[in-house]
């Protein structure tokens, strides 16, 4: 592979303008296709094979009036006044909103819009199964008479603006009106551009310090932005034909920027070191792609495989997120091995370090911070190993209390209308009204349906059971159930299990429980898959047993410690205000599996870049201690810069206000911090120094079976 990439790099550097024009054409074509397709992102989800999904499908078939989306409307009377005094204006505005929804529904029917997404149907059905389109819903009033709650059914993807406008007269009459329900996401649609811009500026600062050149520093940013732009545009086009959640492009943006900058950094750093040694520009670009580029391809493919592995979880929205992230990383790899050598050719001699810098870079006995650090950690390798394991082990302790659930409007920013509606509903009516359940049961007649409702209403943990509705054929009853506890309370899950004996249970809460159960069941198999893949890939790359085992155990320690930090911040509330966490509670259910997939690939990045330089030195000197020290010194500065850049990019997404993306960004930033600096740059050299020659040993029989992959670029032609 290294020889092929060497030839590709040489070709791209010589045909630099052709390659550059081709990438610009790809970006423009992707943008035009995305605009023409007119795709939009959909945060709904389905869960094929789950009980909640099967029940929902039956509800859609037998109770079509319950389908669509729901607007939850909360009215609050002014101080000293009551809802009864405003009953007329409330009824009038609800009727206007229902009429608006009915008109939108007819228009949607005429346009033959696509069938609504399951989670949105679940919300609409569970929150107001009895609200037929076009009929004014009857509000319920709190005990103190100051708060009223009503639900308005609307067609899927209806814009909230016209519905909210219908309640203008109620607001003009002095009522406070807040909106929630399935039509609204967990957080307002805000741009986190300023924060992301700050992350990019910090990345630029790190690059300038690393290279001492604005041209060299700007190149990784330029290529990363081009790759991300092409990926996001392509996702927009894909969203026109398949369901793509809004978190998918956000994850693709985050990963694409991080790995795109890092991969370019590794290649540009190798190119500049070769220019300092006197290589011609085209030859240096080719060798940079054949050496550092080989490591980039290998590391990038591990990220792609790990993210694509999310398909095995069998949750469509998680599959979409994994494939979107994998696409971003794949494009970053393509950019690295084609566009970057072309731009290196365009930059020409401007990237060559000056004579003084070149002499400093090439000095074999030069003392650097990296060389001092590696000597420190290898002086007492056993003590260093035990210390790192102890620190990460202690940090992982809180992970034992990890609770998983889907986000709801209670996780939205405190100043959003859906969060205010959620809090008002919980305070005035009880937390269960924010997550009502829907029970579907077969019944012989209306008397049996009423008896079912009475039994359910008498259950522990049930606040109320609505009047049962009969299907058109009279064989099924649909019953709305309001639990005492909120959607994320474990007692609600126990109630759902008991209700399952009476019939099928659906609704957003039931879907969340099914998703969390499926993710918990998939977590250990996925962890074993990722760990096994890490062992196999690194065994092939370095033809060693200790290197892959050490790397995999270090990765698992990083994951455990990161989950411990997530629990401390998002469940316990430590530094929650600093992280912008508006409410503590269970962690988003798919965070652990996303963290494992992404952090696995990133950890393997640093493992490959560090250990490949050590392996190169060992192959030359056959001195294991010298290999660790010199290999670490050759790569430490670049790996440090890469880790800092990745942390900056991930951390810039934390203040974005998105209840789904915030914990993921936090986990990835902390995970890279721990894995890069504690595991890869401390534990790795200590363990390799402790192992000595055994670090590079592989049984002969196994060596004959495994394929040979030239990660270090040994097969790259020597300069004549």
């Amino acid at each position: 592979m290294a020889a092929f990439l060497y030839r590709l790099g040489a070709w791209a550097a010589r045909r630099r303008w052709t390659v550059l024009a081709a990438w610009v054409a790809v970006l423009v074509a992707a943008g035009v296709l995305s605009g023409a397709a007119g795709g939009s992102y959909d945060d709904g989800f389905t869960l094929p094979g789950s009980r909640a999904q099967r029940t929902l499908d039956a509800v859609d078939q037998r109770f079509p009036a319950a389908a669509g989306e729901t607007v939850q409307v909360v009215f609050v009377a002014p101080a000293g006044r009551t809802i009864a005094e405003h009953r007329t204006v409330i009824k009038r505005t609800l009727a206007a909103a229902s009429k608006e929804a009915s008109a939108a529904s007819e228009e949607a029917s005429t346009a033959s819009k696509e069938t609504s997404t399951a989670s949105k149907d679940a919300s609409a059905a569970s929150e107001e199964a009895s609200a037929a389109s076009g009929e004014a819903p009857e509000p319920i009033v709190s005990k103190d008479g100051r708060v009223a709650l009503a639900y308005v059914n609307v067609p899927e993807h209806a814009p909230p603006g016209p519905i909210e406008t219908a309640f203008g007269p109620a607001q003009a009459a002095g009522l406070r009106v807040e909106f929630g329900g399935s039509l609204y996401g967990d957080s307002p649609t805000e741009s986190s551009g300023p924060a992301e811009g700050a992350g990019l500026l910090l990345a630029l600062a790190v690059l300038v310090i690393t290279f001492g050149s604005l041209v060299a520093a700007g190149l990784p940013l330029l290529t990363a932005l081009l790759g991300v732009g092409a990926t996001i545009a392509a996702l927009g086009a894909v969203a026109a034909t398949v369901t793509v959640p809004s978190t998918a492009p956000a994850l693709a943006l985050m990963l694409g920027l991080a790995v795109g900058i890092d991969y370019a950094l590794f290649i540009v750093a190798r190119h500049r070191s070769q220019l300092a040694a006197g290589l011609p520009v085209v030859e240096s670009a080719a060798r940079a792609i054949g050496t550092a580029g080989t490591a980039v391809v290998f590391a990038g493919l591990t990220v792609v495989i790990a993210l694509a592995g999310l398909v095995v979880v069998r949750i469509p929205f998680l599959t979409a997120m994994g494939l979107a992230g994998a696409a971003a990383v794949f494009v970053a790899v393509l950019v690295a091995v084609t566009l970057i050598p072309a731009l290196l050719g365009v930059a020409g001699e401007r990237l060559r370090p000056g004579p003084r810098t070149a002499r400093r870079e090439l000095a074999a006995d030069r003392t650097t911070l990296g060389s001092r650090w590696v000597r420190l950690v290898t002086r007492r390798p056993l003590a260093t190993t035990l210390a790192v394991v102890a620190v990460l082990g202690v940090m992982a302790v809180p992970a034992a209390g990890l609770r998983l659930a889907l986000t709801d409007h209670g996780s939205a920013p405190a100043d959003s209308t859906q969060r205010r509606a959620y809090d008002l509903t919980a305070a005035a009516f009880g937390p269960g009204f924010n997550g009502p359940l829907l029970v579907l049961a077969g019944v012989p007649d209306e008397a049996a349906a009423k008896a079912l409702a009475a039994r359910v209403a008498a259950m522990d943990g049930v606040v109320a059971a609505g009047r049962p509705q009969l299907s058109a054929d009279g064989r099924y009853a649909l019953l709305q159930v309001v639990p005492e506890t909120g959607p994320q309370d474990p007692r609600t899950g126990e109630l759902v299990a008991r209700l399952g004996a009476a019939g099928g249970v659906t609704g957003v809460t039931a879907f969340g429980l099914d998703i969390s159960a499926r993710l918990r069941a998939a977590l250990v198999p996925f962890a074993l898959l990722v760990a096994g893949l890490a062992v196999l890939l690194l065994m092939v790359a370095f033809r060693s047993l200790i290197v892959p085992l050490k790397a995999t155990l270090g990765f698992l320690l990083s994951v455990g410690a990161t989950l411990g930090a997530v629990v401390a911040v998002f469940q316990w509330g430590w530094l929650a205000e600093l992280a912008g966490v508006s409410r503590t509670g269970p962690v988003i259910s798919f965070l652990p599996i996303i963290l494992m997939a992404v952090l696995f690939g990133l950890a393997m990045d640093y493992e490959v870049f560090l250990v490949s330089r050590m392996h190169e030195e060992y192959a030359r000197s056959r001195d294991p201690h010298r290999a660790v020290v010199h290999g670490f010194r050759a790569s430490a500065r670049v790996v440090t810069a890469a880790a800092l850049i990745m942390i900056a990019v991930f951390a810039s997404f934390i203040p974005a206000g998105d209840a789904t993306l915030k914990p993921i960004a936090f986990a990835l930033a902390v995970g890279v911090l721990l894995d890069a600096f504690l595991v890869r740059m401390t534990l790795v050299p200590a363990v390799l120094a402790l192992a000595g020659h055994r670090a590079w040993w592989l049984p002969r029989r196994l060596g004959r079976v495994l394929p040979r992959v030239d990660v270090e670029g040994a097969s790259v032609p020597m300069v004549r």
Side-chain angles (χ1 to χ4, degrees):
M1 182 167 63
F4 167 75
L5 290 176
Y6 170 85
R7 293 192 296 271
L8 178 63
W11 176 84
R14 293 191 186 99
R15 302 294 181 90
R16 57 188 72 104
W17 296 112
T18 300
V19 174
L20 184 59
W23 271 107
V24 171
V26 167
L27 181 62
V28 171
V32 170
L33 183 61
S34 177
S40 61
Y41 300 115
D42 188 343
D43 287 325
F45 52 80
T46 57
L47 193 61
S50 69
R51 185 171 185 180
Q53 181 70 60
R54 293 194 300 270
T55 303
L56 178 63
D57 293 341
V59 169
D60 285 346
Q61 179 182 1
R62 301 181 184 281
F63 297 88
E69 296 188 79
T70 299
V71 177
Q72 175 186 356
V73 188
V74 182
F75 301 91
V76 183
R81 309 289 294 276
T82 65
I83 289 295
E85 299 173 54
H86 297 82
R87 185 173 297 277
T88 301
V89 70
I90 289 175
K91 284 194 171 185
R92 187 167 67 247
T93 53
L94 284 172
S98 296
K99 184 177 180 181
E100 178 69 35
S102 179
S105 180
E106 291 175 5
E107 181 180 344
S109 177
T110 303
S112 300
K113 290 192 71 175
E114 200 175 296
T115 303
S116 62
T117 305
S119 70
K120 304 299 184 70
D121 287 350
S123 297
S126 65
E127 288 170 342
E128 188 59 26
S130 61
S133 180
E135 298 177 4
E138 186 68 27
I140 57 174
V141 181
S142 62
K143 291 180 180 179
D144 64 3
R146 290 201 57 230
V147 182
L149 174 66
Y151 299 98
V152 179
N153 273 27
V154 299
E156 189 192 3
H157 301 310
I163 304 295
E164 293 181 8
T165 301
F167 293 97
Q171 294 169 320
L175 288 167
R176 175 184 171 190
V177 185
E178 302 292 351
F179 303 94
S182 64
L183 190 64
Y184 294 79
D186 292 336
S187 60
T189 307
E190 295 177 352
S191 172
S192 55
E196 293 163 17
L200 290 177
L201 286 176
L202 183 55
L204 179 61
V206 173
L207 289 167
V208 170
I209 293 171
T210 302
F211 291 128
S213 164
L214 281 175
V215 175
L219 196 149
L221 284 179
L222 174 64
T223 54
L225 289 171
L226 189 147
V228 164
T231 303
I232 299 299
L235 283 176
V238 170
T241 56
V242 299
T243 299
V244 179
S246 62
T247 48
L251 183 65
L253 175 63
M254 189 163 58
L255 289 178
L257 285 175
V259 302
I261 294 172
D262 273 13
Y263 293 166
L265 169 63
F266 288 122
I267 292 172
V268 173
R270 178 63 73 99
H271 176 64
R272 279 173 58 84
S273 68
Q274 292 168 169
L275 290 178
L279 281 183
V281 171
V282 172
E283 174 65 20
S284 177
R287 291 187 67 81
I289 299 301
T291 53
T294 303
V296 163
V297 171
F298 188 85
L301 288 180
T302 63
V303 185
V304 170
I305 292 170
L307 287 168
L310 291 174
V311 173
V312 304
V313 183
R314 297 182 299 114
I315 297 178
F317 78 90
L318 196 58
T319 296
M321 289 179 64
L323 293 179
V329 176
F330 183 73
V331 171
V333 171
L334 287 181
V335 167
V337 298
T338 56
L339 180 60
I340 289 177
L343 291 176
L344 295 180
V346 171
E349 294 293 330
R350 283 172 291 182
L351 290 178
R352 190 182 298 275
R356 183 177 176 182
T357 303
R359 285 195 300 272
R360 187 175 69 249
E361 292 289 332
L362 296 174
D365 58 349
R366 182 168 61 100
T367 299
T368 64
L369 181 61
S371 62
R372 287 195 291 268
W373 176 253
V374 72
R375 287 193 177 97
L376 175 65
V377 302
T378 57
R379 188 175 302 150
R380 299 282 189 275
L382 181 59
T384 300
T385 300
L386 294 176
V388 172
V389 171
V391 169
L392 293 176
V394 169
M395 289 189 66
V397 169
L402 179 67
R403 292 172 52 211
L404 302 176
L406 289 184
T407 58
D408 56 26
H409 289 166
S411 303
D415 60 349
S416 63
T417 186
Q418 56 267 49
R419 172 64 181 275
R420 291 193 293 265
Y422 185 97
D423 291 343
L424 285 168
T425 299
F429 303 98
F433 278 83
N434 280 312
L437 304 167
L438 204 63
V439 177
L440 178 69
V443 292
D445 51 37
E446 186 175 357
K450 291 180 178 179
L452 171 66
R455 288 199 308 274
V456 170
M459 283 185 176
D460 290 339
V462 173
V463 171
R467 179 174 55 84
Q469 299 176 71
L470 290 177
S471 59
D473 59 8
R475 296 171 55 195
Y476 289 88
L478 185 63
L479 181 66
Q480 187 186 61
V481 179
V482 178
E484 287 181 358
T485 49
Q488 296 183 351
D489 194 303
R491 290 171 292 180
T492 305
E494 296 169 4
L495 174 62
V496 169
R498 294 198 303 271
L499 287 172
V505 184
T506 191
V508 171
T509 302
F511 263 92
L513 292 168
D514 283 355
I515 286 176
S516 295
R518 183 172 292 185
L519 285 168
R520 279 193 295 269
L523 199 56
V524 172
F526 187 76
L528 293 175
L529 172 66
V530 168
L533 181 63
V535 170
L536 178 61
L537 288 174
L538 292 176
M539 196 181 297
V540 169
F542 299 114
R543 306 190 72 75
S544 161
L545 283 180
I546 289 180
V547 168
L549 290 175
K550 169 264 309 166
T552 304
L553 291 175
F555 160 70
L556 294 176
L557 283 171
S558 298
V559 170
T562 301
L563 290 177
V566 169
V567 169
V569 173
F570 289 87
Q571 285 185 207
W572 296 356
W574 293 7
L575 303 177
E577 186 174 348
L578 185 62
V581 179
S582 60
R583 188 187 71 164
T584 58
V587 175
I588 183 73
S589 55
F590 53 83
L591 182 145
I593 208 160
I594 285 282
L595 173 67
M596 282 197 298
V598 176
L599 190 59
F600 162 72
L602 303 182
M604 294 307 104
D605 280 359
Y606 300 133
E607 182 78 16
V608 167
F609 289 119
L610 273 172
V611 178
S612 62
R613 297 303 292 266
M614 296 177 187
H615 197 199
E616 282 183 59
E617 184 61 33
Y618 180 77
R620 281 195 294 266
S621 67
R622 311 305 294 181
D623 182 338
H625 186 76
R626 175 187 173 87
V628 171
V629 173
H630 284 255
F632 187 93
R633 190 185 68 179
S635 53
R637 186 178 65 169
V638 175
V639 170
T640 299
L644 290 175
I645 289 169
M646 199 164 283
I647 292 167
V649 171
F650 290 149
S652 70
F653 284 80
I654 296 174
D658 189 304
T660 298
L661 194 62
K662 185 190 297 291
I664 294 176
F666 175 86
L668 291 177
V670 172
V672 171
L673 175 68
L674 296 177
D675 195 87
F677 293 107
L678 281 183
V679 174
R680 306 305 150 190
M681 302 190 73
T682 305
L683 185 64
V684 165
V687 171
L688 293 181
L690 196 62
H693 289 286
R694 289 168 296 180
W696 312 107
W697 174 79
L698 184 71
R700 291 182 181 178
R701 185 173 297 178
L702 186 58
R704 287 194 295 268
V705 175
L706 293 177
R708 290 187 175 272
V709 178
D710 180 16
V711 177
E712 294 90 1
S715 61
V716 171
M718 297 299 294
V719 181
R720 293 186 295 273

